[in-house]
């Protein structure tokens, strides 16, 4: 059973609680633009599962039915406990290679782009991981692990990883020796040279200790979060494809065939001859200034888009493929447009987004929600018109 849909309300409540704590303590761990971008990528990742081809499921079924090495012997809680440990070991190697080889980093990079570290960072997930990530879990099915056991432990592992994305929890004493905790996972998200490519475990940090990739947090060296050259965008589509685009560009620019291949399959930091990537970036955060009224408008609109995204997830089984694909396309367009507003201020795309919101609300949503969507869109139009008439949305 997939436990993640049941955990989503808890995730959102925990984020609200941490945000309130951040405001009360004046810690500055949250920025609206960064949090919205992280949540946008989480919504997009969740929705993408409804429209992408289930490559993994088909391969896993074939492995388990035709070439599995064992017949899974356990059916009680022991089965789930053993499966959880096996899954976490597979996750360690998936996670490690996703940092050490560029082709796999291209998908995983999404999770590390945030230059803040809070609970919204946990929900910042890729939409392209379905292409290759499944390869690392083939051992689970070679051992005969039943699909229902695999899905349950995989979702439980993902849920566990949510709470470690916080700066409000310090060291946890003896637990640090066995489990992934906020302290050792903060190291994993840092771009400081001494912290990079460390602490890959999902639930258990023992794998890092066994395989030589463990690094504790140094109180004298605070973590600098983000990726080495920065994303410099709030566009969720670009966040998902920018490394793929870089690899294509780099492989065209470099002349030797060996370097072209290495551009895709070499180590993540590899820069081929003839390509100038520019300086690494540390300390500076991407934070284009936007006035508070526009930020508040985007927050409200984003909340409405998230509500539709969640509704889409829960109603997916009752919607046809065409309608699901149409809603996904609208979701993609909406999140991209709201990111654009936080980068460049009011623009014409938002008018189109509001129009399509009303249209899809009328076509796709239950009748009781159609009226609410209509009222929301009609109320949004004059507000956005006022924002567009402001001399500028940017602080001087």
């Amino acid at each position: 059973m997939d436990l993640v849909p049941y955990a989503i309300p808890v995730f959102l409540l925990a984020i609200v609680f941490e945000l309130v704590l951040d405001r009360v303590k004046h810690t500055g761990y949250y920025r609206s633009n960064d949090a919205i971008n992280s949540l946008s990528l989480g919504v997009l990742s969740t929705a993408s599962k409804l429209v992408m081809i289930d490559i993994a499921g088909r391969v896993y079924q074939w492995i388990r039915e035709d070439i599995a090495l064992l017949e899974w012997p356990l059916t009680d809680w022991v089965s789930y406990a053993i499966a959880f440990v096996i899954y976490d070991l597979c996750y360690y190697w998936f996670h490690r290679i996703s940092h050490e080889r560029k082709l796999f980093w291209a998908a995983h990079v999404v999770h590390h782009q945030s230059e803040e570290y809070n609970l919204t960072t946990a929900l910042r997930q890729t939409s392209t991981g379905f292409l290759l990530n499944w390869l690392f879990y083939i051992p689970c099915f070679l051992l005969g692990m039943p699909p229902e056991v695999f899905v349950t432990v995989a979702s439980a592992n993902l849920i566990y990883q949510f709470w470690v994305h916080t700066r409000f929890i310090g060291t946890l004493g003896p637990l640090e020796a066995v489990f992934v905790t906020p302290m050792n996972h903060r190291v994993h998200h840092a771009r400081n040279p001494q912290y990079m490519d460390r602490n890959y475990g999902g639930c258990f940090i023992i794998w890092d200790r066994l395989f030589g990739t463990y690094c504790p947090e140094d109180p004298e060296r605070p973590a600098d979060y983000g990726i080495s050259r920065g994303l410099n965008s709030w566009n969720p589509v670009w966040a998902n494809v920018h490394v793929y685009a870089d690899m294509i560009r780099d492989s065209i620019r470099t002349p030797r065939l060996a370097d072209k291949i290495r551009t895709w399959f070499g180590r993540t930091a590899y820069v081929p001859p003839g390509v100038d990537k520019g300086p690494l970036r540390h300390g500076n955060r991407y934070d284009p200034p936007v006035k508070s009224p526009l930020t508040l408008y985007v927050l409200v609109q984003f909340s409405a888009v998230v509500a539709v995204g969640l509704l889409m997830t829960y109603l997916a089984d009752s919607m046809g493929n065409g309608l699901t694909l149409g809603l996904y396309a609208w979701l993609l367009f909406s999140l991209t447009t709201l990111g654009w507003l936080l980068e460049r201020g009011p623009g014409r795309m938002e008018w189109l987004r509001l129009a399509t919101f009303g249209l899809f609300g009328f076509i796709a949503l239950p009748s009781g929600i159609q009226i609410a969507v209509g009222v929301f869109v009609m109320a949004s139009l004059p507000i956005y018109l006022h924002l567009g008439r402001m001399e500028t949305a940017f602080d001087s």
Side-chain angles (χ1 to χ4, degrees):
M1 179 175 65
D2 187 0
L3 304 174
V4 173
Y6 302 98
I8 288 175
V10 179
F11 291 166
L12 297 178
L13 286 174
I15 288 170
V16 171
F17 176 78
E18 188 184 48
L19 176 60
V20 171
L21 194 61
D22 174 68
R23 294 296 183 260
V24 171
K25 291 180 173 290
H26 304 287
T27 50
Y29 294 162
Y30 273 80
R31 284 184 291 140
S32 298
N33 46 19
D34 183 272
I36 289 173
N37 190 238
S38 291
L39 293 173
S40 292
L41 287 157
V43 171
L44 200 59
S45 176
T46 301
S48 69
K49 294 179 176 63
L50 304 176
V51 296
M52 300 302 179
I53 299 173
D54 185 16
I55 301 172
R58 297 177 184 182
V59 175
Y60 291 160
Q61 182 179 4
W62 168 71
I63 291 173
R64 188 169 181 272
E65 291 179 355
D66 294 344
I67 62 172
L69 302 177
L70 300 173
E71 184 70 29
W72 193 259
L74 305 170
T75 57
D76 55 10
W77 67 269
V78 177
S79 172
Y80 286 91
I82 294 175
F84 190 87
V85 174
I86 294 172
Y87 178 91
D88 200 64
L89 177 58
C90 292
Y91 177 87
Y92 169 86
W93 285 108
F94 144 70
H95 200 183
R96 179 170 177 172
I97 294 174
S98 293
H99 278 258
E100 295 181 355
R101 289 293 179 267
K102 189 169 287 188
L103 182 61
F104 296 96
W105 173 246
H108 186 62
V109 66
V110 172
H111 185 59
H112 285 267
Q113 292 158 347
S114 175
E115 294 174 333
E116 301 294 343
Y117 190 80
N118 53 55
L119 291 177
T120 66
T121 309
L123 302 187
R124 188 183 186 97
Q125 299 293 330
T126 180
S127 295
T128 64
F130 75 98
L131 294 170
L132 294 171
N133 292 359
W134 56 271
L135 292 169
F136 296 89
Y137 302 105
I138 286 177
C140 295
F141 293 90
L142 285 174
L143 294 174
M145 190 180 296
E148 63 274 14
V149 174
F150 176 83
V151 171
T152 301
V153 299
S155 58
N157 192 282
L158 185 63
I159 290 170
Y160 176 88
Q161 293 180 46
F162 173 78
W163 77 280
V164 301
H165 292 83
T166 184
R167 284 188 263 182
F168 284 108
I169 298 176
T171 59
L172 296 177
L175 294 179
E176 301 287 351
V178 179
F179 297 102
V180 173
T181 65
M183 183 277 284
N184 53 52
H185 200 63
R186 286 193 290 268
V187 167
H188 175 70
H189 273 261
R191 59 187 173 187
N192 311 53
Q194 67 270 26
Y195 289 155
M196 290 182 69
D197 298 335
R198 299 289 183 177
N199 299 357
Y200 295 117
C203 177
F204 301 114
I205 202 67
I206 53 175
W207 312 123
D208 291 281
R209 294 180 179 275
L210 284 172
F211 300 120
T213 53
Y214 175 73
C215 178
E217 186 178 48
D218 184 350
E220 301 299 320
R221 297 180 178 180
D224 176 27
Y225 300 106
I227 56 178
S228 59
R229 287 186 171 85
L231 178 62
N232 301 330
S233 174
W234 303 130
N235 184 331
V237 176
W238 183 241
N240 273 286
V241 303
H242 74 102
V243 174
Y244 296 105
D246 282 347
M247 291 191 299
I248 292 172
R249 265 196 311 265
D250 292 350
S251 61
I252 292 173
R253 290 173 180 172
T254 193
R256 295 178 63 245
L257 177 60
D259 293 323
K260 293 179 185 293
I261 295 173
R262 192 176 173 191
T263 295
W264 289 80
F265 298 98
R267 296 193 68 85
T268 305
Y270 173 70
V271 178
V275 175
D276 181 12
K277 290 288 190 180
L280 297 178
R281 178 169 138 199
H282 295 289
N284 298 322
R285 299 185 303 178
Y286 178 71
D287 193 17
V290 176
K291 285 186 176 178
S292 296
L294 181 59
T295 301
L296 180 59
Y297 173 84
V298 172
L299 279 169
V300 172
Q301 295 297 326
F302 175 74
S303 299
V305 172
V306 169
V308 173
L310 291 175
L311 190 63
M312 174 184 172
T313 300
Y314 288 110
L315 297 179
D317 292 339
S318 62
M319 295 190 300
N321 292 335
L323 185 56
T324 301
L325 189 60
L327 275 173
Y328 178 75
W330 175 81
L331 195 65
L332 193 67
F333 173 64
S334 295
L335 295 173
T336 302
T337 300
L338 294 178
W340 179 277
L341 291 178
L342 290 175
E343 287 183 23
R344 310 193 183 192
R348 295 178 181 177
M349 283 201 307
E350 175 62 5
W351 293 110
L352 179 60
R353 190 195 68 83
L354 289 171
T356 55
F357 191 8
L359 178 63
F360 274 111
F362 179 76
I363 294 174
L365 299 180
S367 57
I369 302 177
Q370 291 175 350
I371 297 176
V373 169
V375 171
F376 180 80
V377 170
M378 294 303 295
S380 299
L381 292 172
I383 295 173
Y384 187 65
L385 179 63
H386 174 70
L387 289 172
R389 288 175 173 172
M390 294 172 62
E391 180 178 353
T392 177
F394 296 93
D395 292 327
S396 58

